[in-house]
């Protein structure tokens, strides 16, 4: 009797899985997405050009300051 219950349970599981897989198998293909088209726009001219033009060197982002001290290393 126990083996009959196990066989029936296995049939129910296999049939349930088969129905689940067949329900998910919809062959509906989505249309491809159309990528947006961006057209380059011209930038408006600047009213106030920077002073000194582009000949100026750029400022450093950060700097380091090292201080050395003379210390004697005496052994003993």
């Amino acid at each position: 009797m126990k083996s009959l219950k196990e066989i029936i349970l296995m049939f129910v599981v296999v049939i349930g899985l088969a129905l689940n897989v067949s329900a998910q198998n919809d062959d509906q293909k989505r249309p491809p997405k159309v990528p947006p088209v961006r057209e380059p726009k011209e930038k408006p001219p600047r009213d106030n050009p920077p002073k000194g033009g582009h000949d100026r060197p750029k400022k450093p982002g950060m700097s380091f300051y090292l201080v050395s001290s003379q210390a004697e290393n005496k052994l003993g």
Side-chain angles (χ1 to χ4, degrees), residues 4 6 15 38 40 59-60 63:
L4 181 62
E6 290 179 359
I15 291 172
R38 295 182 64 191
K59 294 180 181 178
S63 63

Side-chain angles (χ1 to χ4, degrees), residues 10-71:
M10 287 307 212
F11 277 125
V12 169
V13 170
V14 169
I15 291 172
L17 289 175
L19 290 175
N20 189 14
V21 170
S22 66
Q24 292 180 2
N25 193 9
D26 294 332
D27 291 332
Q28 296 175 356
K29 293 184 180 179
R30 294 183 180 177
K33 290 184 178 180
V34 179
V37 178
R38 295 182 64 191
E39 296 179 9
K41 297 179 181 178
E42 292 186 23
K43 293 182 180 179
R46 296 177 104 182
D47 294 337
N48 299 329
K51 293 181 181 178
H54 298 286
D55 298 335
R56 262 189 339 196
K58 292 185 177 181
K59 294 180 181 178
M62 57 186 277
S63 63
F64 292 102
Y65 184 74
L66 297 176
V67 177
S68 64
S69 64
Q70 294 179 353

